Amino acid sequence: PEITAEWRLPLVRRIGGIQQLIEPIVQAIISPFGGNPGEIPNEDSQDFEFDDTKLFSNNRFTGLDRVESGPRVNYGLRLGFFGSRGGSTQGMFGQSARIKEDDTFNQGSGLEDNFSDFVGRVHFSPAEIFDLSYRFRLSRKNLAARRNEIEFAAGPKAIRINIGYALLEDQIPKSDTVAFANREEIAAATVLRITNLWRISAGTRRDLTGSGSTINWNSGVTYEDECILVTTNINKNFTRDRDVQPATNILFTVKFKHLG
């Protein structure tokens, strides 16, 4: 059983051609303690990341093998500036608090103590052809950066370029969940629209730790109209870990948009 209550108060005003938004958000969740008995193995809830997208989630675990339990409160502030010509700057900053520590979360996950790390994002889009976003997680103790993600996108619809950088601090296992080592990587991708119906894409991801090797690269061709989407993707993965060996995969996808 779970009871959730959420309060929001969007405050909006216009100054000249700019509309301003300030929105405080508070969410309270009440549920019993101990929702994760040891008899249930963790198979599909191992991929856990605490960021701004999960701040106001009832259950921050993926899958069904783990659930977030116990009373907790999530609170944050959302800000926005919206221009009359379509440009905007938006941001969010918040934290989570719980009555008791939860050892279901790894050390370093940002949720293992009574008060979580601070999470937030900033998105800057002065025009349709330019986007810059920054997502972060800051230590609740000294505001040191424990997670940094920067993504830059530019170009018209005919050719769009994306560049992303990620720095993720490692997580030390405190329960039976899997630990994640410190990661630092950069990714680049581009999409070229040949016509209104056809587009080509390509991208790569590179590790910036250790030897700085390539993690993977991919390319694809897509046809899309008002009825159907057909995609062919080729992905080369260079990861080598125990039974996992480098491999090349080809994926064909056909989607009927209005069938049924």
Side-chain angles (χ1 to χ4, degrees):
E2 183 177 84
I3 299 176
T4 302
E6 185 172 289
W7 174 85
R8 295 171 178 257
L9 183 62
L11 304 173
V12 182
R13 71 173 181 176
R14 179 177 292 277
I15 298 180
I18 299 177
Q19 182 172 279
Q20 301 178 357
L21 167 69
I22 300 178
E23 183 181 24
I25 308 170
V26 178
Q27 181 188 61
I29 302 174
I30 300 176
S31 62
F33 291 107
N36 298 296
E39 292 80 9
I40 300 177
N42 185 9
E43 298 292 340
D44 66 349
S45 299
Q46 297 180 2
D47 185 15
F48 174 81
E49 293 181 1
F50 176 50
D51 56 25
D52 59 287
T53 63
K54 295 184 178 180
L55 177 60
F56 296 102
S57 298
N58 292 28
N59 180 26
R60 299 183 177 100
F61 285 101
T62 58
L64 301 174
D65 289 343
R66 290 294 181 268
V67 296
E68 189 173 1
S69 61
R72 53 201 181 273
V73 177
N74 308 314
Y75 44 88
L77 182 68
R78 190 165 73 95
L79 303 173
F81 300 89
F82 306 91
S84 58
R85 297 184 179 181
S88 67
T89 300
Q90 302 180 59
M92 194 276 288
F93 187 79
Q95 188 185 33
S96 179
R98 59 180 62 250
I99 296 177
K100 293 173 58 179
E101 296 181 5
D102 193 340
D103 60 3
T104 308
F105 298 106
N106 286 342
Q107 287 288 345
S109 66
L111 282 168
E112 65 272 18
D113 295 328
N114 296 85
F115 288 90
S116 76
D117 287 344
F118 297 100
V119 294
R121 68 176 179 270
V122 178
H123 181 251
F124 178 61
S125 180
E128 187 176 331
I129 62 172
F130 181 89
D131 280 284
L132 179 64
S133 61
Y134 171 54
R135 299 171 62 190
F136 57 88
R137 177 161 63 89
L138 306 178
S139 170
R140 59 195 168 278
K141 298 178 181 179
N142 55 12
L143 298 182
R146 304 181 72 177
R147 179 191 184 102
N148 285 307
E149 290 182 84
I150 302 173
E151 185 172 355
F152 169 77
K157 291 183 178 180
I159 180 170
R160 189 79 169 174
I161 299 175
N162 291 269
I163 300 175
Y165 167 81
L167 173 62
L168 312 178
E169 191 175 271
D170 58 347
Q171 298 183 26
I172 303 172
K174 194 175 180 180
S175 59
D176 62 345
T177 54
V178 173
F180 292 96
N182 183 70
R183 285 174 287 175
E184 185 179 9
E185 58 188 39
I186 188 170
T190 184
V191 177
L192 174 63
R193 289 185 174 272
I194 302 175
T195 67
N196 290 333
L197 302 178
W198 289 91
R199 62 180 182 267
I200 300 174
S201 62
T204 184
R205 184 178 300 272
R206 189 172 183 84
D207 184 13
L208 298 180
T209 62
S211 60
S213 59
T214 300
I215 299 175
N216 64 22
W217 62 258
N218 62 81
S219 60
V221 178
T222 301
Y223 172 85
E224 182 178 9
D225 59 24
E226 65 275 8
C227 299
I228 192 173
L229 183 147
V230 181
T231 302
T232 301
N233 282 312
I234 302 176
N235 182 74
K236 174 67 174 180
N237 189 353
F238 297 93
T239 301
R240 189 186 301 273
D241 184 12
R242 288 164 291 187
D243 294 335
V244 178
Q245 299 296 323
T248 301
N249 301 308
I250 301 178
L251 178 65
F252 300 95
T253 303
V254 179
K255 179 180 179 182
F256 298 96
K257 295 184 176 180
H258 308 290
L259 184 63

